[in-house]
Amino acid sequence: MTITTAERTRAVAPVTAAKQRRKGGWIPTLGLLAGAVYTLFPVLWVLIASTKSIDQLFSTFTLLPGSGLFTNLHQLSAYRGGEFWQWMLNSALYAGVGGALSALLSGVTGYALAKYRFAGRAAIFNILLAGVLMPPVVLAVPQYLLFAKAGLADSYWSVLLPSVISPYGIYLARIYAAGAIPDDVLEAGRMDGTSEWRLFRSVALPMMAPGLITVFLFQFVAIWNNFLLPFVMLGDDHKFPVTVGLYTLLLQGANAPALYTLVITGALLSVLPLIALFLSLQRFWRLDLLSGAVKS
Amino acid sequence: MAARRVRSAPYLFIAPAVTAFTLLLAVPIGYALYLSLREMRITGLGLGPGARAERWAGLANYSAALRDHELLAGAGRVLVYGGLLVPVMLGLALVFGLLLDADRTRLRAFSRIAIFLPYAVPGVVATLLWGFLYLPTTSPGYYVLHQLGMSGPQLLQGNGMYVALANIAIWGGTGFNMIVIYTSLRSIPAELYEAARLDGASEFQIALRIKIPMVLPSLVLTFFFSLIATLQVFAEPMNLKPLTNGISSTWSPLMKVYRDAFTRGDIYSASATSVVIAFVTLAVSFGFLKLAGRRAYGEDNS
């Protein structure tokens, strides 16, 4: 609506003024390109550095590609019998399953909070939201101790379960449900005698899908990038996600610089899935949800 | 009957979340509070049965935490780090957001994606990348300076460390905040600008007088989240540590909690310290929201 009005106004604006404005466009363009150079530079560096053998890494000019990419990939894959790929797989498991469960839980909770009036609704929402403010480490230490008591520390569950509850996801899902599901549709369903659960599953859930995909993506990235929780919970290398795995590699690299090339190659490989996910699902990133500006 | 079904339905829908919240957040917080009031009493050498016994400590852990020089120094370091990070990151995010919104800008899609890209890079990996870029042996910046017969500043020592760490967070966070601000800029009706242009306002004046005040709520939101993230900085200094001697194992308060709990096995004082951090975070958050609520949204904050 606003866009069409704007375009119309722009069209009738005097051609000379429009031309004049377009002419000076290089200042903002250059400003943004400078920002892009800053953000892309480390990515360029890691792309080049991963092609270098260990000698080349410390001796040749850093932006000169080397000849060791395949050796590096091979050595990384061979490291402790393919442990790196186990880490990648673990990250995919934690982020994929955790993100999906979190999106579903946020969806059903946000829906209930947005579409029903019930006693204690505001109180429950506020308490859930306060969870956002809890520093993860304050939670991680007692969570670890309690998981240890339950015999669940150092298990896949110890990383998956705490990732499932996302106060922020619930908040986003509630905003989205409030904007995307018309009350009359639900009322019509109730008139027809549809059960509340069916109403949620067959009517509300499909309407909330775009919002829930956003919640899933946010959680996926948050879990994939998480370091603290798995770092505290896990002791067994085989269950590490790639972030903790790379940290242990780097730690050993301090004594054995030969591992640095593996760390660099591993760093590159660990961001590729996220960048691919991010570029391919770009249109699903409903970032406007963040500012609470939802238009249905 | 239908009415009763409708009445019980929302409780069934929120039951899983409330259960998970209770078990995974409320109980651990309660447990941390409990532990923070306990201590381990060791008699003799601490060997044999009964030599180690847990007992009430009252507020002893808290008074020890508040008098701890390392914790206070860590809080000071985080303050300097945050003082550097938050204004630069949000300033850049605002400038980039405004540049994206300027209607003369070209290559908009490319710049937007490129600047947002670091969001998809884990803090651990971002730290690794910049860590190597800070190392004189692997950094192209130092190489160029060396060829020119100059030596660059040492970023992994002394005060350079604040710049080194803040830069990693700025790199990772600017794009995300830029998108939040840009999104809210797009929702400003274009008529406002046209009216201002007719009155002879320059693009710069429009940005300053119309756009920035209109996106103030988004700025408040991004400031709020940046503040919380800053108070909890952990992964970046932890991962930069293997590359330098300049970061101690208690560089940030959270690193101290980690060390106390897992290296020293003193879960009691670690719990007290984390409760103090949580309390400060909550106090800062609520204080800020109250202040911002009055300023940014006017008085109608009901």
Side-chain angles (χ1 to χ4, degrees):
Chain A
M1 180 67 183
T2 48
I3 290 168
T4 46
T5 328
E7 273 167 0
R8 190 147 33 82
T9 338
R10 270 172 204 172
V12 284
V15 183
T16 44
K19 230 179 197 168
Q20 209 175 12
R21 254 186 274 148
R22 205 150 292 281
K23 231 170 143 186
W26 59 272
I27 301 176
T29 309
L30 279 184
L32 283 170
L33 285 179
V37 167
Y38 168 62
T39 49
L40 292 181
F41 183 73
V43 180
L44 176 74
W45 179 85
V46 75
L47 272 172
I48 293 170
S50 65
T51 66
K52 295 187 182 199
S53 69
I54 184 70
D55 306 325
Q56 291 166 336
L57 181 65
F58 292 108
S59 60
T60 57
F61 175 56
T62 47
L63 293 183
L64 199 70
S67 55
L69 179 62
F70 290 102
T71 325
N72 290 342
L73 285 174
H74 184 74
Q75 280 181 348
L76 183 68
S77 299
Y79 176 74
R80 289 220 207 143
E83 189 136 75
F84 177 78
W85 295 106
Q86 176 75 40
W87 294 338
M88 291 286 273
L89 216 62
N90 290 341
S91 276
L93 176 83
Y94 293 133
V97 176
L101 287 176
S102 180
L104 278 178
L105 187 70
S106 301
V108 70
T109 316
Y111 167 71
L113 289 169
K115 287 291 152 191
Y116 292 90
R117 302 279 170 275
F118 54 96
R121 187 177 74 122
I124 287 171
F125 182 62
N126 286 334
I127 292 171
L128 289 177
L129 216 56
V132 176
L133 301 176
M134 274 299 136
V137 84
V138 172
L139 289 169
V141 174
Q143 270 172 351
Y144 168 78
L145 296 169
L146 289 169
F147 271 106
K149 283 199 171 169
L152 285 172
D154 199 14
S155 69
Y156 282 101
W157 293 113
S158 66
V159 177
L160 266 179
L161 287 178
S163 311
V164 166
I165 180 101
S166 160
Y168 201 49
I170 292 171
Y171 169 75
L172 291 184
R174 181 194 165 156
I175 293 183
Y176 198 84
I181 309 170
D183 282 326
D184 357 340
V185 177
L186 297 177
E187 279 313 315
R190 281 185 193 119
M191 291 294 177
D192 294 344
T194 318
S195 77
E196 295 297 315
W197 172 249
R198 246 192 93 81
L199 216 50
F200 168 69
R201 218 196 47 199
S202 332
V203 180
L205 207 54
M207 285 177 164
M208 289 173 75
L212 293 186
I213 291 174
T214 306
V215 173
F216 169 76
L217 287 173
F218 274 117
Q219 270 308 93
F220 188 95
V221 173
I223 300 171
W224 185 284
N225 292 357
N226 197 347
F227 172 72
L228 179 75
L229 182 74
F231 184 58
V232 166
M233 288 289 180
L234 301 173
D236 174 10
D237 317 20
H238 291 292
K239 300 194 186 89
F240 283 172
V242 72
T243 47
V244 180
L246 284 175
Y247 171 75
T248 57
L249 258 185
L250 180 71
L251 216 53
Q252 295 169 45
N255 304 316
L259 286 176
Y260 277 155
T261 49
L262 298 193
V263 174
I264 290 168
T265 314
L268 173 67
L269 292 178
S270 76
V271 296
L272 291 182
L274 276 193
I275 291 177
L277 182 80
F278 164 65
L279 292 178
S280 60
L281 294 179
Q282 240 207 103
R283 64 199 184 89
F284 289 112
W285 286 90
R286 291 289 311 271
L287 282 153
D288 48 343
L289 277 176
L290 280 170
S291 7
V294 179
K295 295 169 202 93
S296 42
Chain B
M1 201 171 113
R4 211 170 70 212
R5 217 183 51 209
V6 173
R7 240 176 285 148
S8 65
Y11 293 106
L12 291 175
F13 284 145
I14 61 168
V18 171
T19 313
F21 185 88
T22 310
L23 289 177
L24 295 164
L25 273 97
V27 171
I29 290 168
Y31 189 55
L33 278 168
Y34 168 78
L35 283 177
S36 72
L37 301 170
R38 308 278 288 173
E39 66 180 4
M40 188 63 83
R41 170 81 177 161
I42 301 172
T43 41
L45 291 172
L47 307 166
R52 288 170 156 271
E54 219 186 79
R55 63 169 195 183
W56 285 102
L59 296 174
N61 291 326
Y62 286 98
S63 61
L66 291 174
R67 273 184 282 119
D68 188 303
H69 290 299
E70 254 320 286
L71 184 65
L72 291 178
R77 283 188 285 263
V78 166
L79 220 60
V80 176
Y81 161 80
L84 206 60
L85 158 65
V86 178
V88 175
M89 177 172 75
L90 294 185
L92 279 177
L94 177 63
V95 169
F96 288 145
L98 287 169
L99 291 180
L100 274 180
D101 192 53
D103 57 18
R104 305 174 288 191
T105 305
R106 276 166 233 184
L107 297 170
R108 196 175 278 149
F110 167 77
S111 304
R112 197 183 65 216
I113 292 173
I115 296 174
F116 185 55
L117 191 75
Y119 175 71
V121 177
V124 171
V125 174
T127 312
L128 280 174
L129 298 187
W130 281 106
F132 282 108
L133 288 172
Y134 295 150
L135 283 180
T137 44
T138 48
S139 168
Y142 286 102
Y143 181 89
V144 170
L145 287 175
H146 185 74
Q147 297 298 308
L148 296 171
M150 294 188 284
S151 65
Q154 289 296 318
L155 283 172
L156 291 176
Q157 282 166 20
N159 287 335
M161 194 67 74
Y162 293 114
V163 179
L165 280 168
N167 176 54
I168 295 170
I170 292 167
W171 183 76
T174 298
F176 181 81
N177 291 307
M178 170 191 81
I179 297 286
V180 174
I181 293 168
Y182 176 60
T183 311
S184 88
L185 278 169
R186 299 304 293 170
S187 65
I188 302 174
E191 290 90 335
L192 277 179
Y193 308 148
E194 293 303 328
R197 276 188 198 116
L198 286 178
D199 288 345
S202 70
E203 291 299 311
F204 183 73
Q205 282 172 321
I206 290 174
L208 205 64
R209 301 266 171 81
I210 301 175
K211 292 184 177 181
I212 293 180
M214 291 289 279
V215 298
L216 209 54
S218 295
L219 281 173
V220 168
L221 187 85
T222 52
F223 189 87
F224 180 64
F225 282 114
S226 312
L227 207 63
I228 296 180
T230 303
L231 291 172
Q232 302 173 15
V233 61
F234 180 80
E236 289 83 4
M238 201 70 186
N239 279 279
L240 204 54
K241 204 171 158 305
L243 292 174
T244 164
N245 304 323
I247 293 180
S248 67
S249 57
T250 55
W251 192 88
S252 84
L254 289 202
M255 288 171 73
K256 184 175 150 48
V257 170
Y258 179 81
R259 190 207 56 177
D260 287 351
F262 295 104
T263 316
R264 295 202 168 161
D266 186 357
I267 54 174
Y268 311 99
S269 68
S271 296
T273 311
S274 44
V275 170
V276 171
I277 297 170
F279 184 79
V280 171
T281 310
L282 288 180
V284 169
S285 315
F286 280 120
F288 173 75
L289 280 183
K290 234 181 145 81
L291 193 79
R294 264 208 311 267
R295 294 270 163 84
Y297 303 99
E299 297 292 333
D300 59 341
N301 194 23
S302 49

